[in-house]
Amino acid sequence: MVYFVEPQASDNSGIATLRSRTHSPGAFFRVGQTEVCYRFGDPENNMVDCCFTVSVTEVDNTPPQILFCPSDFTLASEVGTLGATATWPTPQAIDNAGPVTTQSASHNSGDFFQLGNTQVNYIFADQTGKTVQCTFTVIVRQVDTIPPAAQCPAYITRTAGLGVSSVRVFWDEPVVTDNSGDVTRESSHFSGQSFPIGDTVVMYTFTDVANNIATCTFTIAITQVDNTDPVVTCPADVVKVVSLNAQNSRASWNPPSATDNSGEVFLVLNTHSPNDFFTVGITMVTYTYRDPSNNMGSCVFDVIIIEVDSVPPTVSCPQDVTQTVPFGSFNPVSVTWMEPVTSDNSGNVVLVSRSRNPGDTFTLGPSTTVTYNYQDNNGNRAMCSFTVTVMQASDTQPPVFISCTNDQEVSIPLERSTADVTWNYLPTATDNSGVPNIQYRTRSPGVSIFQSGGQILALNVPVGLTLFTAIASDSGGNTAECQFSANVIQGDRVPPTLICPPDQTGSMESGSSTTTSVVFPEATANDNSGRAPSVTYSSNSPTAVFLQNPDGRTQLADNIGRGQTLVFVTATDDSGNTVTCTFTITVSAVDTTPPTITSCPQNQALQISTGGTTRSFTVSQAQATDNSGINPTIGYTTPNPGVSIFDNAVGSVFVNNVPVGVTIITVTATDGFNNMAMCTFTITISSNPPPTIICPPNQSANPDPGSTVAFLTFSKAEASDDSGITPNVQYVSNPAGVQFFDSFGDFIFAQNVVIGTTTVIATATDGANNMASCSFTITVDQITCPDDQFFTLQQGQNFVTFPQATATDNSGVQPTITYRSIPGGVAFDDSSAGIVRAFNVQGGTTTITATSTDSARCTFTLTVSVDAPPMINCPPDQPVITLRGGTTAFLTFPGATATDDSFVTPTIEYTSIPPGVSFFDSNTGDIFASNVGIGRTTVTATATDAGNTMASCSFTVTVTVNSPPQLLCPSDPATVQLRSSTGTTTAVSFPRPSATDDGGLLTLEYASTPPGIMFFESTGNTVLATNVNVGMTTVTVTATDNANNVASCTFELTVTGVDDTPPDVQCPPDIFQSISFGTTETVVRWDEPTVTDTSGQQTILISRSHTSGDVFAGGSPVSVTYIYADMSGNQGRCSFLVSIGMGIDTTAPVVVQGTCPSGVVQVIDINSAPQSVTWELPRATDNSNEVPTRSATHNSGDLFQLGNTEVIYTFCDSTGNCNRMCSFNVFLQEDAPTIRNCPSGAPLIVPADSFGNTAALVQYGPITSDGMLESQTHNTMRDLFEVNRIHNVRINYCNNEAVCRECSFQVNVIPVNSRPADTTPPTVTNCASDIERRVPLSSPDQFISWRTPTASDPSGVRSSLNNQNYETQRTVAMGSSFLVEYIFEDAVGNTAYCAFSVSVSTTNGPNVFNCPSDITRIVPRGTQSISVSWADPTSSAGPYSSRSQNPGSTFQLGNTLVTYIFRSGSEVTVCDFIVRVIN
């Protein structure tokens, strides 16, 4: 089929029509040249022709086909050769266009191929150069036909004892070599097997991996002789016990029994006979026998005569001991006595234990029983005991009072005449007998006194002074007295009780006024008079005002500034007694003003493409401010759940998944106090419609004959869009592969349209990427042949079947298909649906052409070969496999080989009878078989060629089973001891191991570790081991059956020498045990010693000096000794020390509860300091019953300065244990306010030049006070004063209690001309030196502070601070430095400077630990100083080198810099901090 663009015609009439054409585009053209003519005419029938030529040339696109290509095949190569020569039938190929030539061949039949796999390639080409390739593999494998070479041992001779039927014979295995390096061996007998009397031929058979076999033989000759010793069995050792000091004793036994394999045995020697006399000890008896062949046998046993002592020793203890100690002496005393007298028939008595020793200490109290235990050499024991009693003499010493209780003063109202008086701590007394009993009495009638718990109560004590007596009595009736008094005064001197409200908090709006009001509950005050005290409030704030609210329960604190205010509450009763407490009011700033949003994002209007559902975009960030100066937190929310909003933090906000329609976004700005402001903006999303498109109608076409694709033209799809711009149209096909070309007219060219129906999809896209689609179909009719067919015919078969060709037609009518063959003669039968049967098909290739009714054609080939069954060869029957356990075997055998006349290697499969065996091809020529059961299994190999023709062969596999022997060794025999100290070896017998085997025949072998032992089996089922050395020997028994299966077991033989080694006794380590203070002795326990002996036998405890659980007294160490003996009488001993440490008093005294003052507050008149302050003295007790010593930093009645002073009491006992836990503050306070900066001394002289010599504006402040300004004659800061006159200035400050203090001074204003010129600059004080902080390299930034410098001037006018470029503290980074400069100026412009540098640098100095932070102390109004303490810092180099202040120093109001310097060589590290004291 040929396609072309049809010619066009025009005419002056405007009308030109096609009248005829010989061919149309897409028409079928034969090979060669064909003229195509078109004729056009106008309305007047004027004609014009247009002709052109279509040339069709024939092109061969079909490559040759392989007619025959050999399959892969395998060749064998003898071991030691490099390869083999291979031959094969020549490959063949055919082509539809004529002859085929062999273009190249990588190898030729008859070539030599090396070991391994080699690929052979043939390439065939047709006349047009198209090629096809034939490839197969030649596999060369090595085979072995040379048997192994073996050398057997020479002739072997052995002898057997008389009566022995066989002898085990061992030999070296034959040496065998083979070119494969891998040989298996089988033998008629194995080394170590038992052989009967006579000659036995042993044959070895060797098989290599190629089943090549070699054999060798040798002879074993066994001759019988008698070399067996008689077997002699002695009686057991004879043991006889005799009394002590016996000389000789008879011993009897049954004579030994002796047997021999010859049946005759003769006694040759016996060293002793039954009923002989034997001395005490062990005597060895030997019997020796011989047989007729002079083989000798012996046995030995011992006669043991033991002398036993059963009489205990005689022991006589001393009489009971009584000792008297002075009264009051509770310390243990040493008591001595004479040791007991002992005797024993053995002449030797050993002290086993005693509960106490002479000289031991005994305590006062019940009697102590002292027990002695003795033992003789034979373990017979005896004991005796007596008592030791320590008594105390009578008591004649009276008690001693340590302290009497304090005198009491009690106030009562005027209407009462008696009072009940309470003393809160009791008198204390000591006595040599312990704590005495204390009773109380008074001579005042009507008064009763008694003790209740820890208090003394006196009832109905009258007004005035009443004396009381405390009487201490001990158990001996000795007494002592002390007196105390109670003074009852009519009138009230007891201050009220006062409870302050808790600390209060308040708040004020940030940025608003500087003060606020706080409401707090009233303080709670009570008085012993029953009437409510008056309560007043004051504070350290000069502006604060306190008013009671109408409810009567709360107070209003007004004009309270931000920060912390200290409130003083004072309660005063009717008698003028007062008490004060304090609390704080803390005011903090709050913020209720919301932020301001300065910029909200603009409303957005966007479009979305048709088909889309959401849109994403970015908007600018919202902006907001807040009165706090900190940027508020901005958030974004929307009620639409699908929309997500992300703040990019780079000036924009990303809004995702916004749907079509209107979406509201809410912006929130939140400050640090959660105040919030909001704004909103909207996002409107609209859609854009797609274009419209109309497709052409469905199309049809026919392919060229022999072609599978068609070419056609069709009208373009029509597309339009609301934008007015023609959309772009694209075409795609399903199935894919069709190519579309625009003719730039009204048509589209489509080529490569496949047979069948193809769907074409046209898609129009407008400028907004909106799309619309339509579709139509293209139908192509064609005939399709089946694939080339290949058949293998069995003998006598002359037909084949193949699938029918299929055809379609655009007419919709199913076409008829006919078949013809080249060469001819083939008959076709297509009567069966879908199947065609071809008769008379000859061997070789036949070309079949199928033609439909519309002349569509296709071709295919039938290739036929005649098949013969393959040839198969099985391996021989396999050698017998013997299992050593289990029920199935695994083996490898050579695979069967098969060939076929098709030159294609047949496939081989294996089956078994009985079934169940699994076969695996190793791909190396061998076959693996698993799960082969016990018995004979027949394996069948079946070869199947490509035509499914089969051939079979079979062979057998035999499996037998042989389990290893079952072997059980005897238990370890008893330990054997050498008969003589001169011997080194002995003989040991043991039962013969038990061994069984399913083969019935077993051989036992014995071996020893260490080696050298000889083993002899006897007929009595015992084994004798000779030459056994002293120590432990491991015996290994090996059982071997006739299949060489082996089992083994082990046991131990132990031989000991003559025992002359004492037991090894290991005592516990020395014991040190402390006892509590006040005790003298204690029970001590320990683990018994561990004892071992070389004999392994039990040992006996002969004696011990003490027993675990005995009582030991404090003092010198005591030696504890143990003695043990073994069964041979060898003795071993060990000792250790028991030390009892006397108790040390480590308990500090205890302050008596309630006696340590909680604090002393004393208000004094103005200028009356220092003032004497008194308090009740604290008391303490101690576990030693001694009165602790008392010391204090201040004493009651000392003079105290204004402010806080800490008082610390220390109580110590006689051993130096101290208690410093009693401490309190003494607070001395003035009533009147304190005035600061009040000028004093000479009158203030100021110039009058400011106002023309008539007056001067004088500044003399600021004058401040902790009280309230009551009155002033002039302004407290600055005022106008006349010249030539002295002005008296008075300023009064009062506190809340109307106690006032006055500041008075004079001001003298003189004319300028009468005042001498002032050229003196101010005087600067407290100017800091350069501050250099040197710290280790890894230290953080340093906080450095200094004292503010001050200045004064001779004119009397206070210097003003003209410039200060830094605060008095600053955080300084490592390596930083800066200059601090202060400038002072007086009234006439004279200036003074203070400058210093501050720097932080690194140092190699020591590291400082625990450098204190700045310390702040708050003191009451009027207090100028306070004592401040801290812990000294330390360093890696030790303590400090110097410090500017000591802990506990007194610090004035203001800031004080404390500096510590630490040195390490020339390197320095500084630690400094500020102590800040404020009112």
Side-chain angles (χ1 to χ4, degrees):
M1 297 178 66
V2 179
Y3 295 90
F4 48 84
V5 179
E6 292 189 303
Q8 303 293 324
S10 61
D11 189 69
N12 52 6
S13 64
I15 298 175
T17 59
L18 176 64
R19 299 298 178 89
S20 65
R21 57 187 172 189
T22 60
H23 299 79
S24 299
F28 181 79
F29 290 79
R30 297 185 179 277
V31 175
Q33 292 186 341
T34 302
E35 184 179 54
V36 177
C37 292
Y38 276 73
R39 175 167 290 181
F40 297 90
D42 61 13
E44 300 299 329
N45 287 323
N46 297 310
M47 301 294 181
V48 64
D49 292 332
C50 168
C51 296
F52 56 93
T53 302
V54 174
S55 298
V56 178
T57 58
E58 191 173 32
V59 178
D60 181 10
N61 292 318
T62 303
Q65 293 182 343
I66 298 296
L67 182 62
F68 167 75
C69 185
S71 301
D72 298 345
F73 60 92
T74 303
L75 299 176
S77 173
E78 183 63 42
V79 173
T81 61
L82 300 177
T85 300
T87 59
W88 59 82
T90 302
Q92 298 178 6
I94 60 174
D95 188 67
N96 59 355
V100 177
T101 60
T102 301
Q103 191 177 71
S104 66
S106 62
H107 302 77
N108 294 316
S109 178
D111 285 353
F112 182 81
F113 286 78
Q114 292 184 344
L115 294 175
N117 296 352
T118 303
Q119 190 177 68
V120 179
N121 294 319
Y122 278 78
I123 299 176
F124 298 94
D126 61 11
Q127 294 178 351
T128 63
K130 294 179 177 59
T131 61
V132 69
Q133 183 170 300
C134 160
T135 301
F136 59 95
T137 301
V138 176
I139 304 168
V140 180
R141 291 191 177 142
Q142 229 171 25
V143 296
D144 180 13
T145 59
I146 300 175
Q151 180 65 44
C152 271
Y155 188 84
I156 298 175
T157 61
R158 295 287 187 272
T159 60
L162 191 65
V164 177
S165 60
S166 62
V167 176
R168 295 183 64 187
V169 180
F170 297 88
W171 61 85
D172 294 333
E173 289 292 315
V175 178
V176 62
T177 59
D178 187 70
N179 55 5
S180 68
D182 188 7
V183 179
T184 60
R185 66 179 67 201
E186 294 181 355
S187 62
S188 59
H189 303 77
F190 56 88
S191 176
Q193 185 176 340
S194 296
F195 286 80
I197 306 299
D199 292 345
T200 301
V201 176
V202 178
M203 174 180 287
Y204 273 81
T205 302
F206 303 94
T207 307
D208 63 14
V209 294
N211 286 327
N212 299 305
I213 299 175
T215 62
C216 73
T217 61
F218 60 96
T219 300
I220 296 177
I222 307 298
T223 58
Q224 195 169 50
V225 295
D226 182 8
N227 54 10
T228 302
D229 294 334
V231 176
V232 183
T233 303
C234 269
D237 291 343
V238 178
V239 179
K240 188 171 183 180
V241 178
V242 299
S243 61
L244 193 66
N245 298 320
Q247 299 297 320
N248 294 301
S249 179
R250 290 181 182 272
S252 62
W253 59 85
N254 293 324
S257 63
T259 59
D260 189 68
N261 54 2
S262 66
E264 293 182 281
V265 66
F266 309 98
L267 176 63
V268 177
L269 173 68
N270 58 317
T271 58
H272 300 78
S273 298
N275 293 320
D276 281 355
F277 282 96
F278 291 83
T279 62
V280 173
I282 300 175
T283 303
M284 185 170 65
V285 178
T286 302
Y287 278 76
T288 303
Y289 294 83
R290 70 172 177 83
D291 65 9
S293 299
N294 288 324
N295 299 307
M296 308 291 284
S298 297
C299 77
V300 295
F301 63 96
D302 291 330
V303 174
I304 305 171
I305 306 300
I306 303 175
E307 194 176 44
V308 176
D309 176 16
S310 58
V311 179
T314 300
V315 183
S316 176
C317 264
Q319 298 297 319
D320 293 341
V321 179
T322 300
Q323 188 161 329
T324 302
V325 297
F327 181 81
S329 174
F330 294 94
N331 293 326
V333 297
S334 175
V335 180
T336 60
W337 58 84
M338 297 296 293
E339 294 281 6
V341 178
T342 63
S343 63
D344 188 70
N345 57 3
S346 68
N348 187 25
V349 179
V350 178
L351 174 63
V352 176
S353 67
R354 56 186 167 193
S355 61
R356 306 299 290 270
N357 296 320
D360 280 357
T361 56
F362 289 78
T363 58
L364 189 69
S367 299
T368 300
T369 299
V370 179
T371 302
Y372 278 76
N373 286 290
Y374 291 89
Q375 178 178 290
D376 62 16
N377 290 341
N378 295 293
N380 300 304
R381 290 198 172 195
M383 65 167 288
C384 73
S385 62
F386 59 96
T387 61
V388 175
T389 305
V390 178
M391 301 178 59
Q392 195 179 60
S394 299
D395 179 16
T396 60
Q397 184 175 348
V400 175
F401 272 97
I402 299 172
S403 64
C404 208
T405 189
N406 60 313
D407 296 334
Q408 290 280 54
E409 184 177 274
V410 180
S411 298
I412 60 174
L414 294 175
E415 62 270 17
R416 292 179 54 189
S417 60
T418 63
D420 295 338
V421 182
T422 301
W423 287 264
N424 289 324
Y425 66 89
L426 306 176
T428 57
T430 62
D431 188 70
N432 54 0
S433 65
V435 179
N437 179 39
I438 298 178
Q439 301 291 328
Y440 303 94
R441 72 168 181 241
T442 180
R443 299 184 184 277
S444 178
V447 178
S448 60
I449 182 170
F450 57 90
Q451 180 178 328
S452 176
Q455 295 178 325
I456 302 173
L457 300 179
L459 305 180
N460 301 320
V461 181
V463 174
L465 185 66
T466 301
L467 295 178
F468 297 91
T469 302
I471 304 169
S473 59
D474 60 16
S475 58
N478 304 302
T479 62
E481 295 182 354
C482 78
Q483 287 188 334
F484 55 97
S485 65
N487 188 15
V488 179
I489 302 172
Q490 286 181 320
D492 184 10
R493 295 187 182 182
V494 179
T497 60
L498 178 64
I499 301 175
C500 266
D503 292 342
Q504 304 294 310
T505 59
S507 63
M508 63 175 61
E509 183 68 26
S510 178
S512 64
S513 62
T514 58
T515 62
T516 188
S517 298
V518 177
V519 176
F520 59 88
E522 284 278 7
T524 302
N526 295 291
D527 190 63
N528 58 0
S529 65
R531 292 180 293 276
S534 64
V535 180
T536 60
Y537 297 86
S538 61
S539 74
N540 62 348
S541 171
T543 62
V545 176
F546 298 91
L547 301 172
Q548 186 177 39
N549 286 324
D551 59 9
R553 297 189 303 273
T554 57
Q555 280 277 335
L556 173 68
D558 199 9
N559 294 334
I560 303 298
R562 185 181 304 172
Q564 192 176 76
T565 299
L566 184 65
V567 179
F568 301 90
V569 184
T570 302
T572 306
D573 62 12
D574 294 343
S575 299
N577 301 306
T578 63
V579 66
T580 302
C581 65
T582 63
F583 66 96
T584 60
I585 300 175
T586 303
V587 176
S588 58
V590 297
D591 180 8
T592 59
T593 303
T596 300
I597 298 179
T598 58
S599 175
C600 197
Q602 298 295 319
N603 295 336
Q604 306 290 320
L606 305 169
Q607 289 188 336
I608 192 171
S609 300
T610 300
T613 59
T614 62
R615 178 75 183 270
S616 301
F617 57 92
T618 59
V619 297
S620 60
Q621 285 180 330
Q623 303 294 325
T625 60
D626 189 67
N627 59 355
S628 65
I630 301 174
N631 290 333
T633 301
I634 297 180
Y636 302 86
T637 58
T638 178
N640 193 326
V643 177
S644 56
I645 306 170
F646 306 96
D647 193 335
N648 295 328
V650 292
S652 62
V653 176
F654 180 70
V655 186
N656 190 30
N657 294 331
V658 182
V660 175
V662 177
T663 297
I664 299 175
I665 307 294
T666 300
V667 182
T668 59
T670 308
D671 63 13
F673 289 89
N674 287 326
N675 300 307
M676 183 184 294
M678 293 189 298
C679 72
T680 60
F681 65 96
T682 60
I683 301 172
T684 304
I685 305 297
S686 59
S687 60
N688 191 17
T692 59
I693 187 169
I694 301 175
C695 273
N698 294 335
Q699 306 290 311
S700 62
N702 293 313
D704 287 340
S707 176
T708 59
V709 296
F711 174 88
L712 77 155
T713 61
F714 56 83
S715 300
K716 289 182 177 180
E718 298 178 2
S720 61
D721 187 65
D722 58 354
S723 64
I725 300 174
T726 301
N728 179 37
V729 180
Q730 299 291 330
Y731 299 87
V732 295
S733 66
N734 183 20
V738 178
Q739 296 177 326
F740 299 94
F741 303 96
D742 194 337
S743 66
F744 300 103
D746 296 330
F747 298 97
I748 297 295
F749 298 119
Q751 67 178 19
N752 294 332
V753 184
V754 297
I755 303 298
T757 299
T758 298
T759 300
V760 178
I761 301 170
T763 302
T765 305
D766 63 12
N769 285 327
N770 297 311
M771 294 183 291
S773 300
C774 64
S775 64
F776 60 96
T777 61
I778 300 174
T779 303
V780 177
D781 298 328
Q782 176 65 343
I783 186 171
T784 303
C785 276
D787 294 335
D788 292 343
Q789 305 291 305
F790 297 90
F791 302 96
T792 300
L793 299 181
Q794 304 299 323
Q795 298 292 334
Q797 184 180 355
N798 69 341
F799 69 91
V800 297
T801 59
F802 55 85
Q804 283 186 343
T806 59
T808 60
D809 189 70
N810 55 9
S811 64
V813 178
Q814 181 65 37
T816 301
I817 301 175
T818 58
Y819 302 90
R820 61 185 179 87
S821 64
I822 301 176
V826 178
F828 299 94
D829 177 11
D830 61 356
S831 59
S832 299
I835 297 297
V836 177
R837 178 172 295 184
F839 295 93
N840 302 325
V841 180
Q842 302 300 316
T845 300
T846 301
T847 300
I848 308 298
T849 301
T851 305
S852 65
T853 50
D854 60 357
S855 300
R857 296 188 303 277
C858 65
T859 60
F860 62 99
T861 60
L862 301 179
T863 301
V864 177
S865 60
V866 179
D867 189 20
M871 301 292 293
I872 185 168
N873 292 314
C874 271
D877 292 343
Q878 299 300 297
V880 175
I881 299 173
T882 301
L883 294 179
R884 300 187 186 277
T887 58
T888 61
F890 176 90
L891 73 152
T892 303
F893 58 84
T897 59
T899 59
D900 190 65
D901 57 0
S902 65
F903 299 102
V904 177
T905 301
T907 60
I908 299 177
E909 294 184 350
Y910 298 87
T911 57
S912 67
I913 298 176
V917 178
S918 300
F919 300 93
F920 307 95
D921 194 336
S922 67
N923 295 322
T924 61
D926 292 335
I927 302 298
F928 299 139
S930 62
N931 296 326
V932 182
I934 298 172
R936 184 184 299 274
T937 298
T938 300
V939 178
T940 300
T942 302
T944 305
D945 62 12
N948 286 325
T949 303
M950 294 182 291
S952 300
C953 64
S954 63
F955 59 95
T956 62
V957 175
T958 303
V959 177
T960 61
V961 63
N962 191 357
S963 301
Q966 300 293 317
L967 178 63
L968 177 63
C969 271
S971 303
D972 295 343
T975 300
V976 176
Q977 186 174 356
L978 288 180
R979 301 295 182 182
S980 172
S981 60
T982 60
T984 59
T985 63
T986 187
V988 180
S989 64
F990 53 86
R992 187 179 188 274
S994 171
T996 59
D997 187 69
D998 53 8
L1001 184 59
L1002 280 174
T1003 302
L1004 295 182
E1005 291 183 344
Y1006 301 86
S1008 66
T1009 302
I1013 296 178
M1014 299 179 63
F1015 298 88
F1016 302 93
E1017 290 190 352
S1018 69
T1019 57
N1021 205 29
T1022 60
V1023 179
L1024 181 66
T1026 62
N1027 298 326
V1028 182
N1029 288 299
V1030 173
M1032 185 174 290
T1033 300
T1034 301
V1035 177
T1036 301
V1037 184
T1038 303
T1040 307
D1041 64 11
N1042 57 1
N1044 283 330
N1045 298 308
V1046 176
S1048 62
C1049 64
T1050 61
F1051 59 94
E1052 307 291 343
L1053 301 179
T1054 303
V1055 175
T1056 62
V1058 175
D1059 185 9
D1060 56 4
T1061 303
D1064 180 22
V1065 184
Q1066 297 293 328
C1067 268
D1070 292 343
I1071 299 173
F1072 179 83
Q1073 192 166 318
S1074 297
I1075 56 179
S1076 302
F1077 177 72
T1079 59
T1080 61
E1081 59 185 10
T1082 185
V1083 173
V1084 181
R1085 303 185 187 278
W1086 57 81
D1087 294 331
E1088 292 296 309
T1090 58
V1091 186
T1092 57
D1093 191 66
T1094 55
S1095 67
Q1097 298 176 337
Q1098 184 179 2
T1099 57
I1100 300 172
L1101 175 63
I1102 300 299
S1103 67
R1104 56 187 170 192
S1105 61
H1106 298 78
T1107 303
S1108 176
D1110 283 355
V1111 176
F1112 288 78
S1116 301
V1118 176
S1119 178
V1120 178
T1121 301
Y1122 278 76
I1123 302 176
Y1124 288 85
D1126 62 14
M1127 300 306 295
S1128 298
N1130 303 304
Q1131 291 190 354
R1133 68 178 57 210
C1134 73
S1135 299
F1136 61 96
L1137 296 177
V1138 174
S1139 302
I1140 305 301
M1142 298 300 292
I1144 299 175
D1145 182 10
T1146 59
T1147 304
V1150 177
V1151 178
V1152 176
Q1153 186 175 4
T1155 64
C1156 184
S1158 60
V1160 180
V1161 178
Q1162 190 162 321
V1163 180
I1164 64 174
D1165 294 334
I1166 298 172
N1167 297 323
S1168 64
Q1171 189 77 249
S1172 175
V1173 180
T1174 61
W1175 57 84
E1176 294 181 3
L1177 298 180
R1179 292 176 290 111
T1181 61
D1182 190 65
N1183 59 352
S1184 65
N1185 293 324
E1186 300 174 356
V1187 178
T1189 61
R1190 177 172 55 201
S1191 61
T1193 57
H1194 301 77
N1195 295 314
S1196 177
D1198 283 356
L1199 295 177
F1200 286 82
Q1201 298 292 335
L1202 290 174
N1204 253 333
T1205 301
E1206 184 178 31
V1207 178
I1208 301 175
Y1209 272 85
T1210 302
F1211 294 91
C1212 297
D1213 61 16
S1214 58
T1215 58
N1217 301 306
C1218 294
N1219 183 338
R1220 298 177 178 84
M1221 298 305 294
C1222 175
S1223 64
F1224 55 94
N1225 288 327
V1226 174
F1227 183 67
L1228 207 60
Q1229 181 180 1
E1230 278 189 348
D1231 280 344
T1234 300
I1235 299 177
R1236 291 178 291 275
N1237 301 327
C1238 182
S1240 61
L1244 294 177
I1245 300 174
V1246 295
D1249 50 349
S1250 299
F1251 285 87
N1253 295 330
T1254 60
L1257 185 64
V1258 179
Q1259 179 176 337
Y1260 47 81
I1263 299 172
T1264 60
S1265 172
D1266 53 4
M1268 293 179 289
L1269 179 63
E1270 181 72 17
S1271 63
Q1272 59 182 4
T1273 59
H1274 297 78
N1275 189 291
T1276 58
M1277 289 295 293
R1278 55 189 294 162
D1279 209 344
L1280 193 64
F1281 291 82
E1282 296 177 1
V1283 300
N1284 294 323
R1285 178 183 167 188
I1286 295 178
H1287 301 266
N1288 293 314
V1289 180
R1290 288 184 176 85
I1291 305 170
N1292 279 296
Y1293 290 91
C1294 299
N1295 63 14
N1296 292 326
E1297 300 169 351
V1299 179
C1300 301
R1301 175 168 289 178
E1302 180 181 86
C1303 167
S1304 62
F1305 56 93
Q1306 292 179 334
V1307 175
N1308 184 11
V1309 180
I1310 61 175
V1312 173
N1313 55 5
S1314 64
R1315 185 170 69 93
D1318 182 8
T1319 60
T1320 303
T1323 300
V1324 179
T1325 57
N1326 297 326
C1327 185
S1329 302
D1330 291 344
I1331 300 173
E1332 181 183 13
R1333 176 75 57 82
R1334 304 186 69 196
V1335 294
L1337 182 62
S1338 59
S1339 299
D1341 293 347
Q1342 299 296 302
F1343 185 81
I1344 297 179
S1345 57
W1346 55 88
R1347 182 180 295 181
T1348 304
T1350 59
S1352 61
D1353 191 80
S1355 67
V1357 178
R1358 182 183 177 187
S1359 302
S1360 60
L1361 183 62
N1362 191 44
N1363 179 32
Q1364 176 184 345
N1365 54 354
Y1366 286 96
E1367 299 293 335
T1368 58
Q1369 55 191 16
R1370 184 175 178 185
T1371 299
V1372 184
M1374 180 73 69
S1376 299
S1377 64
F1378 56 88
L1379 181 68
V1380 178
E1381 184 180 22
Y1382 291 83
I1383 303 175
F1384 298 88
E1385 185 178 41
D1386 63 11
V1388 297
N1390 299 309
T1391 58
Y1393 295 86
C1394 166
F1396 54 92
S1397 64
V1398 177
S1399 62
V1400 177
S1401 59
T1402 59
T1403 179
N1404 293 323
N1407 291 324
V1408 177
F1409 310 110
N1410 303 320
C1411 184
S1413 302
D1414 289 350
I1415 301 173
T1416 300
R1417 292 289 185 267
I1418 300 176
V1419 298
R1421 290 175 303 152
T1423 301
Q1424 302 297 317
S1425 62
I1426 188 174
S1427 174
V1428 180
S1429 297
W1430 60 86
D1432 283 326
T1434 59
S1435 76
S1436 57
Y1440 56 85
S1441 299
S1442 63
R1443 61 185 177 188
S1444 62
Q1445 303 284 342
N1446 298 328
S1449 297
T1450 299
F1451 289 78
Q1452 301 297 321
L1453 287 172
N1455 295 343
T1456 302
L1457 179 67
V1458 180
T1459 302
Y1460 280 77
I1461 297 177
F1462 297 84
R1463 297 183 183 275
S1464 176
S1466 60
E1467 296 294 334
V1468 174
T1469 302
V1470 175
C1471 156
D1472 57 20
F1473 55 94
I1474 293 291
V1475 175
R1476 183 178 295 105
V1477 180
I1478 60 176
N1479 280 121

